[in-house]
Amino acid sequence: MSKKSYFQYQKDLNLPVFIAIDLEVFDSGMSNFFTEMKFQKLTDKEIPLALDVMKKNNKSRCLSISEASPSVSRQIQGSLESDHYGQESVVRQAGYQVYRYKEQGLMVYSFGAKVWEFGCYSHFGSAPDAASKLAARIIMNRFLTWALIPQGILGLWGVAVEGGVVLQRPRESRGELVFIDVIGNKILSMDGNKKLGPKFKVLRLDPTLKGRNVKMSHEELLGFMSAHATYLDINGLSVPVRQMIQTLARMTEGLLHPEESFRPRTDLSL
């Protein structure tokens, strides 16, 4: 009989965010996908400790992933009124929310619950086509965004660069995001974790600029970060998310940067 495997997000930071999954049900690439998303697989000795954290820490979150049943599959594939807004939707039910990425998966979650459920297909995270890869990254980053809010961590679509972050649409960043720990002054990204430096900048690529940066106003920076927040809800950004954006805007500088000179993961000084 197979047993569940457990993964922890950014284990070295002791963040109480976990995944529980029976890997035998899914394609072999699932573990590699979790590693790419900065989850570390827990050993048999570490699992009881993680379960104890989930039991005692009210801010802990665990996403229980299972293969979609026929009824869940119909919901994943079915048509909704919200489809014309895009592939993603959030529907509020009595006491919980339902997040769907059409043709990919269905998540049931509540901010008052520690364990959330996600149903998907066996190829989730390991499908070879670009659209499915992008969808898997977006789905996992939505989960992380919601799960990390109690830790004071803000998610923004974009990529980390030397001394800052370039904010982009999810498709432009290929589903990549940057988490900002506004309390601990840290940046969490696909490149690892580093301190939020005193000259940290938020950059917006501008196709019309040549050879110079232009400073954003405080209001422009607030609006730009709000538009690129990874938090998704039918009622828009929550109060904690708006507060984190306001805090970050007071700590950082917003710049328009020439799009033609942008190279991912490079120094953006001119």
Side-chain angles (χ1 to χ4, degrees):
M1 182 178 177
S2 61
K3 65 176 183 178
K4 283 192 174 182
S5 296
Y6 287 84
F7 294 78
Q8 183 175 5
Y9 180 68
Q10 300 279 5
K11 187 173 70 171
D12 55 325
L13 297 180
N14 292 318
L15 292 172
V17 178
F18 305 90
I19 286 173
I21 185 172
D22 181 354
L23 289 173
E24 293 188 10
V25 177
F26 292 87
D27 293 355
S28 59
M30 181 67 93
S31 288
N32 291 335
F33 172 65
F34 289 152
T35 299
E36 174 192 326
M37 298 300 298
K38 299 301 178 182
F39 283 88
Q40 288 85 40
K41 188 176 182 180
L42 301 182
T43 65
D44 289 342
K45 290 183 178 180
E46 291 172 325
I47 290 174
L49 298 175
L51 293 175
D52 191 53
V53 169
M54 294 180 217
K55 180 180 179 181
K56 296 178 179 178
N57 189 339
N58 289 330
K59 293 182 179 180
S60 67
R61 297 292 182 267
C62 179
L63 185 65
S64 179
I65 301 179
S66 58
E67 187 175 21
S69 66
S71 61
V72 170
S73 180
R74 285 196 296 273
Q75 294 180 67
I76 294 172
Q77 298 291 339
S79 297
L80 296 174
E81 290 183 8
S82 59
D83 285 350
H84 62 279
Y85 293 113
Q87 297 291 93
E88 297 178 279
S89 63
V90 174
V91 177
R92 193 177 299 276
Q93 302 289 352
Y96 63 94
Q97 284 84 246
V98 178
Y99 164 77
R100 184 186 78 152
Y101 196 113
K102 190 174 182 181
E103 300 181 354
Q104 299 294 332
L106 190 80
M107 189 185 307
V108 177
Y109 65 100
S110 168
F111 292 116
K114 297 179 182 179
V115 179
W116 302 351
E117 302 287 338
F118 178 59
C120 57
Y121 300 110
S122 61
H123 60 262
F124 180 80
S126 57
D129 62 290
S132 294
K133 287 181 178 179
L134 174 64
R137 292 192 194 106
I138 289 175
I139 290 167
M140 291 308 301
N141 281 329
R142 294 294 190 195
F143 162 64
L144 288 170
T145 294
W146 294 321
L148 290 171
I149 288 173
Q151 310 297 327
I153 296 177
L154 172 69
L156 298 168
W157 294 117
V159 296
V161 293
E162 186 65 31
V165 58
V166 173
L167 299 190
Q168 299 173 297
R169 295 184 180 91
R171 291 187 181 278
E172 293 171 338
S173 70
R174 298 181 181 178
E176 188 173 336
L177 55 61
V178 175
F179 283 117
I180 309 293
D181 183 345
V182 297
I183 298 174
N185 285 339
K186 290 193 292 287
I187 307 168
L188 287 62
S189 73
M190 299 295 285
D191 298 325
N193 311 316
K194 55 186 177 181
K195 185 179 178 181
L196 188 71
K199 296 183 179 180
F200 182 82
K201 295 176 175 59
V202 174
L203 296 112
R204 177 177 186 171
L205 300 181
D206 189 319
T208 65
L209 276 180
K210 306 289 183 181
R212 65 190 179 97
N213 290 326
V214 176
K215 186 176 180 179
M216 293 186 211
S217 69
H218 180 73
E219 291 72 22
E220 288 172 334
L221 179 58
L222 276 175
F224 182 55
M225 288 196 294
S226 297
H228 289 78
T230 56
Y231 183 87
L232 180 67
D233 189 80
I234 192 171
N235 293 323
L237 300 181
S238 67
V239 171
V241 172
R242 292 200 300 269
Q243 290 173 338
M244 286 189 283
I245 290 173
Q246 290 168 357
T247 299
L248 182 60
R250 290 193 294 268
M251 298 164 53
T252 61
E253 183 179 28
L255 295 176
L256 300 179
H257 182 79
E259 185 175 28
E260 65 177 13
S261 65
F262 171 62
R263 298 292 182 273
R265 294 171 174 82
T266 58
D267 188 344
L268 293 187
S269 59
L270 293 172

